[in-house]
Amino acid sequence: MSRMIGKIAKSQHLLKKCSIPLKITSRNNYYFLLPEIPSDTAETNELMRNDDIPSFNEITANKVQTGVQKLVVNFDTDFNELLGKLDKDKSYDKTFENVFNPIEKSIAPLDYAFKTARHLSFVYPYSKYHTGYLKLDHKVNLAKNERWTNRSFFKILKELNSNKHLMNDVQNRLVDRSIRNCVLNGLNLNDAEFQIFQELNNKIQEKQSLFKHRLNHANRKFELRISSQMSLNEIPSRIKKKIANDRQNPDNGPWTIIPNEEVFESFMKNCGNRSLRKTLFEAYYSRASYVQEQFQTNNSEVIKSLLEYRRKQANLYGYRNFAELVLENKAAVKIENVIDLFEKIKANIKPLVDEDLGKLLKFSAHHGNLIPFETYDIEYWKNKYVSHHFGIDEGKLSEYFPFRKVLNGLFEISKQLFNVEFKKDDSNRERFWDPKVESYKVMDDNGQTLSYLIIDPFIRNLKIDNIWSYTGRNSSELVGFKPLVYLNMNVRDRGEFSAMNFAQVKQLFDEFGGVIQTLLTKTSFTELSDKSLIETDALNLTNKLFNRLIYVPQIMKLISTNKNGDSLPNEFLERITKANESFKSFDLMKQTFLSAFDLECHISEKFWYEIMEDLWPKYMPIKLNKNDYRPCQFTSIFGENFGCNYYSLIWSEMLASDLFDAFNDTDFENSNKLLDVGLKYKKTFLESGSSLHVNEIFRRFRGRNPSIDPFIKSFQD
């Protein structure tokens, strides 16, 4: 918890930590903590201004520090003054507006400034901006989350909740979410229970940290040397460069493999040396397990203890198990619904996996492989099969994706679906960190500005070589904030000849779905605009929708052209579509197995490896490798707070398939019908943010509850 100004009676312990430098004075046996409050104002510090576009060229690293700290103090002071008014001023009604509107007016500027600081830390890595942001991250989160540890605020929330009929759906959503945050912080427990709650929380955090520490230790000890006598001709050059002892001559060995997901996956797909694949597979998946017989790196007992503490934590809240606690607030709602999803996948997709396995065995036998498949053979032969039947020269494919054509195509898609226009705005060019950064206003059909998009398109020194986006400002109609999004790309700047490979195009489509999700949000409260507060099993639905759009012929014509003005030939589109669809049932079954394992670990009291042994043959077509202990590296589940959430990846795909069917049913030929569906999607999923439960938003869009049928059908076609 964080509180900037407080007093501590001599009989009490200091429980609250300060987040900025403090002076300590005493009076009458009380201690007062007086923060050295920065003197910054909006007039002296550009970071604190609520301009549509931040003045990046004027915001120094020092202004980031003092500006955010001042806004933290402002928020903390305003919140405590509000609590005092609600507690002591009998004439101040405890209405939703009187409670939440003052908080919004204080938290929205803090959130905007902090997101600007985050962006500067990305733009200037290895700088004071970055180190300063890392320090601020903890302080800001402490300040914003103090509400959920305040018993006076919890009491006010419960009073509001007792009058649900006086509030609308959005207001009830914000109150419900706030109450849940307080409950998860133990505020509904008695003193004895709260002490147990704190002890369990500490133990859980300790075990999660220990899990990551031991895995990191195992990673440092991991090393697989490959002799220069061996051939790695099939391995992509970028991967060989990562592992070559001599980075200047990556084609010449020796090479040293370290734990890296990209390297591991590339070897499984491309390495023709079966013995090397086996060695790497077994070494990679035995990291941090008891196979290594080293206490410092063994995560097995850590998993066992962590699951026990999570079970006790759930019991303390009144749930039978940890899975019940987690799923209560998700789109899936309850355990039975998730298990039903797993069963339907097994019944409908497992036969397809068996059929595909037979196809792979036949293909590999035709190419001289007469040895039965092991787990480390699947990815290699899948890749060989797809390359043989559907492969297209990447260089030739890239000729059809000039950067400007792809970007303008995405803008045109947004217009056809959502009736919005991206208008380039050069008036802010001097504010940016690089002269090639571009700014766009997103306009509705009446010419009104809805939001702002800032694109940093080209690779440059020290810039992260990837395509990614994040929110720069959330929607807050209450304080007049329009959404702002940053889109960072990795295009090689060759003027009009700047081109993208197909992998980059796919990644851009995925990111642009998230960009649109934020840009078209219309909410009165910052925290209901934030995508991170959407139910975990319904995250990134618009991203997934755009992933599917790329394979629609009418869409492909909008984003592709060669130097002769011809769009991507239908033959090429058909081949890349089939390549994308091939063997995806394998990936789904692996995802389902991991999801079932995650859930069962938090329901059953059996040892985690017994659970793995029991579940594996129910989902996977190949026997479990005796050195496969991948749960010991399952960081998202056991090293972080994603436990009982892994199924979310499948659930959200199921929802996205159903949503895409609404668009696909128009055949993308009837522009009027397509726009009707798009505007309905915009009104429900996009503008709502997280202000309603996703199941309610889904019903408003589709007129019914989600169906698994489109998802299953997408694998059977």
Side-chain angles (χ1 to χ4, degrees):
M1 274 181 292
S2 167
R3 183 181 294 275
M4 301 309 142
I5 302 175
K7 62 181 180 179
I8 305 165
K10 61 180 179 180
S11 61
Q12 295 177 324
H13 295 289
L14 177 59
L15 298 176
K16 297 178 181 179
K17 297 180 181 179
C18 303
S19 60
I20 57 175
L22 299 167
K23 295 178 180 177
I24 303 178
T25 63
S26 64
R27 185 180 64 194
N28 298 329
N29 295 324
Y30 287 82
Y31 291 93
F32 291 81
L33 304 183
L34 304 177
E36 295 180 344
I37 303 174
S39 59
D40 299 50
T41 64
E43 287 70 32
T44 63
N45 190 332
E46 294 78 7
L47 185 80
M48 299 174 66
R49 296 175 190 167
N50 295 331
D51 298 339
D52 292 332
I53 303 293
S55 299
F56 296 101
N57 60 320
E58 299 180 29
I59 301 174
T60 64
N62 184 61
K63 286 183 176 180
V64 166
Q65 288 291 305
T66 56
V68 172
Q69 287 186 0
K70 179 61 177 294
L71 290 169
V72 166
V73 172
N74 290 349
F75 172 72
D76 185 79
T77 302
D78 293 346
F79 178 68
N80 284 287
E81 287 180 355
L82 173 65
L83 288 182
K85 188 181 295 186
L86 290 166
D87 186 45
K88 298 177 182 178
D89 189 347
K90 303 303 180 184
S91 65
Y92 193 77
D93 293 335
K94 295 177 183 178
T95 63
F96 175 89
E97 289 79 8
N98 283 347
V99 174
F100 279 91
N101 287 11
I103 294 174
E104 176 66 12
K105 291 176 182 177
S106 185
I107 204 170
L110 170 60
D111 189 67
Y112 179 23
F114 181 61
K115 283 180 166 61
T116 302
R118 177 182 63 182
H119 179 65
L120 284 166
S121 78
F122 291 148
V123 170
Y124 300 110
Y126 317 109
S127 70
K128 290 183 179 179
Y129 287 107
H130 184 68
T131 55
Y133 165 74
L134 295 178
K135 294 178 183 177
L136 292 170
D137 185 35
H138 181 63
K139 296 176 183 179
V140 172
N141 285 322
L142 281 176
K144 291 167 68 175
N145 293 334
E146 184 184 5
R147 291 166 290 167
W148 320 133
T149 62
N150 189 294
R151 294 189 179 276
S152 296
F153 188 55
F154 185 43
K155 181 180 178 181
I156 293 166
L157 291 173
K158 289 191 289 186
E159 288 182 34
L160 288 177
N161 198 49
S162 66
N163 294 298
K164 278 181 171 291
H165 62 285
L166 299 178
M167 299 184 292
N168 60 37
D169 290 343
V170 174
Q171 292 171 337
N172 275 310
R173 171 77 160 171
L174 192 53
V175 171
D176 289 345
R177 177 169 286 164
S178 299
I179 287 176
R180 181 171 173 81
N181 285 337
C182 291
V183 169
L184 292 178
N185 276 281
L187 295 192
N188 64 331
L189 304 173
N190 61 39
D191 290 343
E193 291 171 333
F194 186 74
Q195 184 174 353
I196 296 172
F197 160 80
Q198 288 183 311
E199 290 172 356
L200 285 173
N201 258 1
N202 290 336
K203 288 178 179 177
I204 288 171
Q205 291 175 19
E206 286 173 6
K207 291 301 179 183
Q208 289 179 173
S209 297
L210 182 59
F211 184 94
K212 290 187 287 188
H213 172 76
R214 288 189 172 181
L215 178 57
N216 288 336
H217 188 58
N219 287 342
R220 289 194 295 270
K221 293 174 68 66
F222 182 96
E223 190 175 273
L224 179 60
R225 296 183 181 275
I226 303 175
S227 166
S228 56
Q229 273 68 48
M230 296 186 70
S231 172
L232 296 185
N233 291 336
E234 294 175 293
I235 305 301
S237 297
R238 72 179 186 281
I239 300 299
K240 284 189 286 188
K241 191 170 183 179
K242 284 178 178 287
I243 63 174
N245 289 8
D246 181 1
R247 298 291 177 87
Q248 302 302 317
N249 297 288
D251 291 326
N252 300 324
W255 302 271
T256 302
I257 299 180
I258 59 174
N260 177 282
E261 187 175 359
E262 184 185 12
V263 172
F264 174 75
E265 290 180 353
S266 182
F267 265 79
M268 291 301 105
K269 286 182 178 180
N270 299 292
C271 181
N273 186 318
R274 189 171 190 263
S275 176
L276 180 55
R277 287 203 311 271
K278 178 180 186 294
T279 301
L280 176 58
F281 182 94
E282 294 183 344
Y284 190 84
Y285 278 134
S286 64
R287 286 173 299 135
S289 72
Y290 45 72
V291 169
Q292 297 178 352
E293 297 182 350
Q294 293 191 25
F295 178 76
Q296 313 96 295
T297 61
N298 184 3
N299 267 333
S300 179
E301 289 301 316
V302 178
I303 295 173
K304 182 180 177 181
S305 299
L306 178 62
L307 291 172
E308 181 183 351
Y309 294 143
R310 285 178 174 172
R311 188 180 306 113
K312 289 180 178 179
Q313 183 186 56
N315 295 158
L316 187 64
Y317 285 125
Y319 298 89
R320 290 179 300 173
N321 53 61
F322 189 74
E324 273 191 358
L325 168 64
V326 172
L327 266 70
E328 182 187 56
N329 201 41
K330 299 294 188 288
V333 180
K334 55 185 180 179
I335 296 171
E336 291 76 12
N337 293 336
V338 179
I339 293 176
D340 183 58
L341 173 66
F342 295 162
E343 292 301 317
K344 288 178 178 176
I345 289 174
K346 277 196 295 184
N348 292 278
I349 308 300
K350 184 66 159 52
L352 300 180
V353 173
D354 295 336
E355 183 182 321
D356 281 346
L357 180 60
K359 188 189 303 182
L360 275 184
L361 287 168
K362 184 178 179 180
F363 174 78
S364 68
H366 182 72
H367 286 77
N369 175 59
L370 302 178
I371 303 173
F373 275 10
E374 298 284 351
T375 44
Y376 45 81
D377 294 319
I378 298 291
E379 294 302 319
Y380 175 74
W381 287 108
K382 277 168 54 180
N383 188 49
K384 292 281 284 186
Y385 184 98
V386 171
S387 298
H388 178 80
H389 289 283
F390 311 120
I392 300 176
D393 179 76
E394 285 292 333
K396 192 171 185 179
L397 196 58
S398 296
E399 294 175 4
Y400 286 91
F401 298 110
F403 160 61
R404 287 297 166 192
K405 180 66 174 179
V406 176
L407 184 63
N408 291 334
L410 279 166
F411 292 162
E412 180 60 27
I413 293 166
S414 304
K415 185 174 184 179
Q416 291 184 12
L417 295 182
F418 311 122
N419 203 21
V420 295
E421 185 174 354
F422 286 77
K423 183 178 180 182
K424 194 172 183 181
D425 180 14
D426 291 327
S427 63
N428 296 303
R429 184 178 293 274
E430 74 283 352
R431 290 176 177 239
F432 299 132
W433 55 95
D434 187 87
K436 293 185 179 179
V437 172
E438 301 172 358
S439 176
Y440 294 85
K441 290 183 178 180
V442 185
M443 321 283 287
D444 64 15
D445 55 343
N446 294 318
Q448 297 296 312
T449 300
L450 300 174
S451 51
Y452 303 87
L453 173 64
I454 297 176
I455 301 179
D456 190 348
F458 302 115
I459 279 291
R460 61 177 178 274
N461 189 34
L462 296 182
K463 184 182 176 184
I464 298 174
D465 184 12
N466 209 339
I467 298 177
W468 47 308
S469 64
Y470 46 88
T471 303
R473 180 178 58 239
N474 284 319
S475 169
S476 176
E477 294 182 344
L478 191 66
V479 298
F481 279 0
K482 299 180 187 297
L484 167 68
V485 177
Y486 303 106
L487 175 60
N488 294 273
M489 301 176 64
N490 57 349
V491 178
R492 298 291 172 186
D493 187 4
R494 296 187 176 94
E496 63 178 305
F497 301 105
S498 300
M500 305 177 69
N501 60 47
F502 189 60
Q504 290 175 319
V505 174
K506 289 194 294 183
Q507 191 177 2
L508 178 58
F509 262 68
D510 182 271
E511 287 296 328
F512 201 80
V515 168
I516 282 289
Q517 177 77 55
T518 302
L519 289 176
L520 300 187
T521 302
K522 287 185 177 181
T523 59
S524 296
F525 295 90
T526 293
E527 291 173 307
L528 291 181
S529 174
D530 197 330
K531 288 190 297 182
S532 66
L533 295 181
I534 296 173
E535 289 78 5
T536 312
D537 49 4
L539 271 177
N540 303 324
L541 293 183
T542 310
N543 303 60
K544 298 177 190 300
L545 180 66
F546 269 71
N547 281 338
R548 289 161 170 79
L549 288 176
I550 196 171
Y551 298 100
V552 175
Q554 293 86 346
I555 299 296
M556 183 57 72
K557 289 179 181 178
L558 293 175
I559 64 168
S560 64
T561 185
N562 62 9
K563 59 183 179 181
N564 297 321
D566 300 321
S567 59
L568 187 75
N570 289 335
E571 177 197 355
F572 279 23
L573 178 57
E574 184 177 350
R575 290 171 75 88
I576 60 177
T577 301
K578 287 182 177 179
N580 182 65
E581 298 293 314
S582 294
F583 304 112
K584 66 178 185 178
S585 58
F586 274 94
D587 297 329
L588 175 61
M589 291 310 295
K590 182 172 74 172
Q591 200 84 309
T592 308
F593 159 72
L594 293 172
S595 302
F597 172 81
D598 172 32
L599 201 65
E600 188 64 22
C601 275
H602 291 90
I603 297 174
S604 171
E605 295 187 19
K606 291 197 302 184
F607 183 55
W608 65 266
Y609 192 78
E610 292 179 51
I611 295 173
M612 182 179 177
E613 281 188 310
D614 179 54
L615 290 175
W616 181 274
K618 296 178 181 179
Y619 294 93
M620 306 305 293
I622 303 294
K623 67 179 181 182
L624 179 65
N625 186 287
K626 61 182 178 64
N627 288 303
D628 190 339
Y629 295 92
R630 69 185 71 189
C632 291
Q633 304 138 36
F634 213 164
T635 303
S636 59
I637 304 304
F638 301 123
E640 296 167 358
N641 296 317
F642 205 62
C644 295
N645 274 292
Y646 207 77
Y647 82 94
S648 298
L649 305 171
I650 303 173
W651 197 275
S652 58
E653 286 289 353
M654 178 193 73
L655 295 178
S657 294
D658 201 339
L659 295 175
F660 180 69
D661 258 21
F663 291 90
N664 205 32
D665 287 345
T666 67
D667 294 326
F668 288 89
E669 292 289 353
N670 189 319
S671 59
N672 290 330
K673 286 186 178 180
L674 189 63
L675 180 59
D676 287 343
V677 176
L679 290 178
K680 191 174 183 181
Y681 187 84
K682 175 186 172 188
K683 185 69 176 177
T684 52
F685 275 95
L686 300 184
E687 292 184 355
S688 297
S690 61
S691 58
L692 294 170
H693 194 285
V694 70
N695 290 343
E696 175 60 26
I697 297 176
F698 192 99
R699 284 189 288 270
R700 293 185 183 187
F701 176 67
R702 286 298 257 161
R704 57 167 173 76
N705 289 326
S707 169
I708 193 177
D709 293 342
F711 179 64
I712 296 297
K713 188 174 181 293
S714 69
F715 287 85
Q716 295 172 334
D717 289 344

